[in-house]
Amino acid sequence: MADSQQSQRPDNSKIVKRLLLTVAGMFAFGFALVPLYDVFCEVTGFNGRTKNEAVAATHQTVDKSRTVNVQFITRNAKGIPWKFEPSVKQVQVHPGEVRVVNFLAGNPTSGDMVAQAIPSVAPAEASLYLNKVECFCFNQQPLKAGDNTEMPMQFYLDPEIPDHITTLTLSYTLYDMTANATAETLAQLQTTE
Amino acid sequence: MSTVVDDIHHEEHHDHKPSGITRWLFTTNHKDIGSLYLWFSLIMFFIGGAMAMVIRAELFQPGLQLVEPNFFNQMTTVHGLIMVFGAVMPAFTGLANWMIPMMIGAPDMALPRMNNWSFWILPFGFAILLSSLFLEGGGPNFGWTFYAPLSTTYSNDSTALFVFSMHILGISSIMGAINVIVTIMNMRAPGMNYMKMPLFVWTWLITAFLLIAVMPVLAGAVTMVLTDKYFGTSFFDAAGGGDPVMFQHIFWFFGHPEVYIMILPSFGIISAIIPAFTRKQLFGYASMVYATASIAILSFLVWAHHMFTTGMPVFAELFFMYCTMLIAVPTGVKVFNWVATMWRGAMTFETPMLFALAFVILFTIGGFSGLMLAITPVDFQYHDTYFVVAHFHYVLVTGAVFSIMAAAYYWLPKWTGHMYDETLAKLHFWTSLISVNVLFFPMHFAGLAGMPRRIPDYSIQFADVNQITSIGGFAFGLSQLIFLWLCIKCVRGGEKAAAKPWEGAEGLEWTVPSPAPYHTFEKPPKVE
Ligand code: HEM
Ligand SMILES: [Cu+2]
């Protein structure tokens, strides 16, 4: 019988070390999914987020042969009683054509507040073709107690937008950021005194 | 696989063990730890079961009768968490502890002291989870899937306890999995090469790798929930640049392999029992191994079938739909092999076999409803309805739990040295079989008709179906008391069991006496 089993048994600690490394690696992988997801979504438009920066309108072409229906939706997140709505519910645009839509915001409370609008596009695929030349959503929005404001959003659709997209919906959710306001935004609240 | 053991009597004389409570606290013996896991899991099964009874009592009639909606939500949440992490997973780990060393001819698990730790942190993890129910405002109420923002923005402060307990359960499972892998890789008796290992050992090896791969991701997900809630991060908060849908991706990246963690060891159990009571070799051993491995690999490619309604692009919907359907192929291979094993076999119907047969049929029904759910366009209707509840209870209760019952009946004589009471066992089987179908089958219809899951009230047209379901639920709950009584009775006494009480059983575990001595295979057996 194999009495020598003890001596020929391979080293446990080697396997244990490898397995522990795998565990640590998978824990890290869980967190790595966060930036991976962001990159993936940026490339594919998977989650309908629009680009978070201005895109210059440098193209020449306007595709007059097509029109796309662009709808606007606004929503307030929990805990922010602001008035927040688009000046028009929808516009018809030709791909390539630059348009401006105003959004109205009002702070009905008795305190100064800071808010931020987060955009999302449905169908998600369309988010790749929605370019914003200017948007209030790039920055935090301060409003003094009782103030109202008009916030412009200037955009165009990339002429490459696929034919099957005939309607797209741009939705903004407004979040209360008073507690997390940047120094810059707070300074704005002071100066408009 | 034929085995010869030189001298089993050799092993009986050093059968000494410490006594009293310290034996159990400090034990590093794989059989003791296996028993601890199995008893723990049975207790959790009854605690989780009691919560299910609360749920079914509330749902017996439309309207709110017994409990507050918030408490109802805590019941569905904690029922799910307890059954998954407290009942099914520890039961499999207990079976692994008891059986794997004996099946591969090893004297113990490879890392016995870690083994003690991985069990003993479990009761603390669950004590924390259960105690959160008694806090002001109650325990977790966001479902076992703890989707953000329910678990972040909208949860109460018991979430910290929930996260902490999940960390503990995760660490326990990871340690258990490491132990299983090292044991199987390093402790096999000479001649026990990989393709001679019993399928229970194979399926557990693959399960252990799945655990190592996904439990850390779960730990990451609960950690992100914790920091989002308490430390101002925005992993899942759109206001801060995060995305709540990403939570679902991370969770189901863990969650789908997790459901296979809860079924692969069952496949191993059934593959041991059916040949034993058919008195034939298992049909297609190698294809069983490959099927298990391919299920495990595919399980990483299907997670988003839980998220068809989150607004994914069509390409992603189709990709996940086809991958999900692909899993049915290796699963079908397994079912085919079990049936082929029975074909022209000399079958007898002792209780382990009855549970195994019920498993094959009812698990397959669960697989079929899974296939229906995998069809993206129809999932838009079925998602978050009782149809999903019916699906996963068929695969988990009549699948995983039935296989655990089958395993218990099959190996109880080996564990206790006594035959269980066959009359009680048959009673347990038939009452369970009938009531479980009365309980879960009507849920398919409720779901197809649109009844949403996780809601304490429902509209009046679902009243009849829920009444039937609840009656089935109470009957199933009561039937399990028979099992408890039977186990206690079997531990205390009964007809003496032979070393190999089942005529057709095969494997090294049957070459040692019953009850299995405290130390077995200190000298490795020879495997031919
Ligand atoms: C042929 C095999 C299977 C297929 C095609 C399948 C498919 C699916 C699909 C598509 C869903 C999502 C339904 C929805 O939420 O709308 C689902 C849910 C679920 N499945 Fe399966 N499944 C299979 C086998 C299993 C097995 C073996 C288990 C566990 C042992 C399992 C456990 C679950 C659970 C727990 C859920 C619900 C999770 C939740 O939302 O709480 N499934 N299944
Ligand atoms: Cu799944």
Side-chain angles (χ1 to χ4, degrees):
Chain A
M1 271 198 65
D3 292 324
S4 55
Q5 199 207 24
Q6 213 69 32
S7 55
Q8 61 180 217
R9 185 175 299 161
D11 193 3
N12 285 347
S13 62
K14 212 161 127 192
I15 306 185
V16 174
K17 265 186 214 136
R18 279 191 199 153
L19 292 174
L20 285 175
L21 270 180
T22 316
V23 169
M26 288 310 292
F27 187 69
F29 176 73
F31 285 88
L33 283 174
V34 177
L36 282 175
Y37 180 78
D38 281 344
V39 172
F40 182 77
C41 290
E42 215 162 282
V43 176
T44 60
F46 197 79
N47 66 348
R49 237 187 286 182
T50 56
K51 294 181 205 82
N52 206 15
E53 56 204 27
V55 181
T58 51
H59 65 284
Q60 316 288 310
T61 48
V62 172
D63 183 354
K64 286 260 165 64
S65 67
R66 283 202 295 149
T67 49
V68 178
N69 197 13
V70 182
Q71 307 177 321
F72 305 102
I73 299 180
T74 57
R75 219 189 115 235
N76 288 12
K78 189 183 164 191
I80 176 159
W82 284 25
K83 188 185 82 169
F84 176 45
E85 56 195 32
S87 56
V88 286
K89 295 275 185 229
Q90 60 179 20
V91 293
Q92 312 277 334
V93 299
H94 300 302
E97 177 191 358
V98 179
R99 286 289 273 271
V100 180
V101 173
N102 282 320
F103 284 68
L104 314 171
N107 176 1
T109 68
S110 55
D112 298 350
M113 286 181 79
V114 176
Q116 166 114 38
I118 304 286
S120 165
V121 172
E125 188 190 1
S127 64
L128 293 176
Y129 305 95
L130 179 71
N131 293 321
K132 294 176 187 159
V133 181
E134 187 196 346
C135 181
F136 54 91
C137 61
F138 296 151
N139 298 306
Q140 294 185 340
Q141 180 67 42
L143 263 190
K144 287 182 175 305
D147 268 8
N148 289 297
T149 187
E150 204 163 84
M151 307 182 294
M153 197 273 290
Q154 190 177 16
F155 75 99
Y156 68 92
L157 297 180
D158 190 321
E160 301 288 304
I161 189 166
D163 283 343
H164 65 89
I165 301 180
T166 54
T167 298
L168 69 88
T169 309
L170 173 58
S171 139
Y172 284 103
T173 306
L174 194 70
Y175 290 91
D176 182 0
M177 299 295 267
T178 313
N180 308 315
T182 60
E184 198 186 328
T185 328
L186 286 175
Q188 261 175 294
L189 265 182
Q190 311 293 305
T191 52
T192 50
E193 205 84 46
Chain B
M1 176 179 59
S2 69
T3 52
V4 181
V5 171
D6 279 23
D7 195 355
I8 48 177
H9 307 288
H10 238 79
E11 302 181 324
E12 276 163 301
H13 59 253
H14 40 209
D15 201 15
H16 47 74
K17 50 196 161 203
S19 55
I21 180 80
T22 50
R23 165 180 172 196
W24 299 104
L25 273 179
F26 301 126
T27 183
T28 56
N29 178 287
H30 73 101
K31 301 187 182 80
D32 280 355
I33 294 176
S35 305
L36 285 170
Y37 265 112
L38 289 169
W39 279 114
F40 178 78
S41 132
L42 192 60
I43 293 168
M44 284 294 137
F45 183 59
F46 281 103
I47 295 178
M51 295 175 182
M53 295 300 104
V54 174
I55 296 170
R56 281 326 313 173
E58 176 57 50
L59 292 175
F60 190 73
Q61 281 177 18
L64 295 175
Q65 280 89 27
L66 299 171
V67 295
E68 298 285 318
N70 183 35
F71 187 71
F72 182 90
N73 289 346
Q74 291 168 44
M75 287 292 101
T76 54
T77 304
V78 183
H79 163 75
L81 291 169
I82 296 248
M83 288 307 196
V84 168
F85 295 103
V88 172
M89 290 170 69
F92 283 140
T93 316
L95 291 171
N97 263 293
W98 250 105
M99 302 319 299
I100 288 178
M102 290 210 289
M103 286 176 158
I104 61 175
D108 203 317
M109 296 294 277
L111 309 160
R113 261 171 301 188
M114 188 171 84
N115 208 8
N116 174 288
W117 274 102
S118 47
F119 173 76
W120 275 112
I121 61 175
L122 263 190
F124 293 96
F126 281 98
I128 292 171
L129 180 64
L130 287 171
S131 66
S132 73
L133 286 172
F134 299 98
L135 292 181
E136 210 178 303
N141 58 5
F142 30 67
W144 81 279
T145 50
F146 61 103
Y147 279 11
L150 292 177
S151 57
T152 53
T153 317
Y154 299 99
S155 65
N156 63 26
D157 273 334
S158 69
T159 309
L161 295 182
F162 160 78
V163 169
F164 191 43
S165 73
M166 295 310 282
H167 277 143
I168 295 177
L169 313 186
I171 290 169
S172 162
S173 312
I174 289 171
M175 292 200 294
I178 290 178
N179 218 338
V180 166
I181 295 175
V182 180
T183 306
I184 297 175
M185 290 176 75
N186 277 358
M187 308 268 291
R188 279 168 291 123
M192 175 64 78
N193 60 34
Y194 280 106
M195 287 317 264
K196 273 189 192 162
M197 293 193 316
L199 268 169
F200 180 70
V201 180
W202 253 118
T203 52
W204 237 113
L205 180 63
I206 293 169
T207 303
F209 277 109
L210 283 181
L211 280 165
I212 299 269
V214 300
M215 291 310 282
V217 176
L218 172 70
V222 291
T223 308
M224 289 182 226
V225 164
L226 186 78
T227 59
D228 263 18
K229 186 163 174 62
Y230 295 102
F231 302 109
T233 58
S234 308
F235 289 108
F236 310 128
D237 182 7
D243 186 342
V245 175
M246 185 178 69
F247 173 86
Q248 298 186 29
H249 284 290
I250 297 177
F251 179 82
W252 287 115
F253 183 84
F254 146 80
H256 188 82
E258 166 68 18
V259 307
Y260 282 96
I261 285 166
M262 293 189 283
I263 204 68
L264 294 184
S266 308
F267 292 167
I269 293 165
I270 301 305
S271 303
I273 292 176
I274 289 185
F277 295 95
T278 317
R279 293 158 184 81
K280 272 177 65 186
Q281 292 281 309
L282 182 70
F283 184 88
Y285 171 89
S287 68
M288 286 296 213
V289 173
Y290 297 129
T292 312
S294 39
I295 291 175
I297 292 165
L298 280 174
S299 74
F300 286 102
L301 297 176
V302 300
W303 77 88
H305 65 211
H306 298 273
M307 304 171 54
F308 283 143
T309 59
T310 54
M312 286 187 292
V314 176
F315 172 77
E317 306 255 3
L318 291 178
F319 173 81
F320 286 110
M321 170 167 119
Y322 288 125
C323 283
T324 303
M325 294 188 160
L326 208 57
I327 290 201
V329 176
T331 313
V333 167
K334 291 191 162 282
V335 175
F336 178 86
N337 286 350
W338 291 323
V339 175
T341 306
M342 289 185 262
W343 181 253
R344 303 216 165 138
M347 286 208 275
T348 50
F349 299 94
E350 289 88 342
T351 311
M353 182 63 164
L354 290 176
F355 271 101
L357 288 173
F359 172 96
V360 173
I361 296 165
L362 300 176
F363 171 77
T364 305
I365 293 181
F368 281 144
S369 57
L371 277 175
M372 290 172 69
L373 290 165
I375 304 169
T376 310
V378 301
D379 184 67
F380 273 67
Q381 179 175 344
Y382 303 158
H383 181 64
D384 262 349
T385 70
Y386 263 82
F387 193 81
V388 178
V389 181
H391 158 65
F392 68 72
H393 282 94
Y394 265 87
V395 284
L396 283 171
V397 179
T398 61
V401 173
F402 269 32
S403 78
I404 292 165
M405 301 274 180
Y409 284 115
Y410 187 54
W411 284 308
L412 260 176
K414 183 55 62 191
W415 299 335
T416 64
H418 306 128
M419 294 309 283
Y420 57 82
D421 182 332
E422 188 71 37
T423 325
L424 271 183
K426 290 261 160 63
L427 182 70
H428 173 228
F429 172 73
W430 287 109
T431 50
S432 296
L433 180 74
I434 294 166
S435 59
V436 87
N437 283 294
V438 175
L439 165 58
F440 294 122
F441 208 79
M443 285 185 183
H444 290 112
F445 303 120
L448 291 178
M451 177 169 164
R453 63 190 280 209
R454 293 173 172 159
I455 308 276
D457 188 6
Y458 49 84
S459 73
I460 193 95
Q461 77 263 29
F462 303 125
D464 292 347
V465 115
N466 275 285
Q467 221 156 68
I468 297 170
T469 297
S470 285
I471 291 170
F474 302 140
F476 185 72
L478 285 175
S479 311
Q480 303 323 305
L481 296 174
I482 306 175
F483 182 67
L484 177 64
W485 170 233
L486 179 144
C487 287
I488 294 172
K489 215 176 137 187
C490 184
V491 170
R492 289 176 145 194
E495 185 195 328
K496 204 99 195 65
K500 195 174 100 165
W502 315 116
E503 187 195 338
E506 279 207 47
L508 288 176
E509 76 263 35
W510 307 111
T511 61
V512 303
S514 297
Y518 201 54
H519 300 285
T520 40
F521 298 128
E522 293 196 297
K523 274 195 181 161
K526 201 140 110 221
V527 183
E528 275 157 18

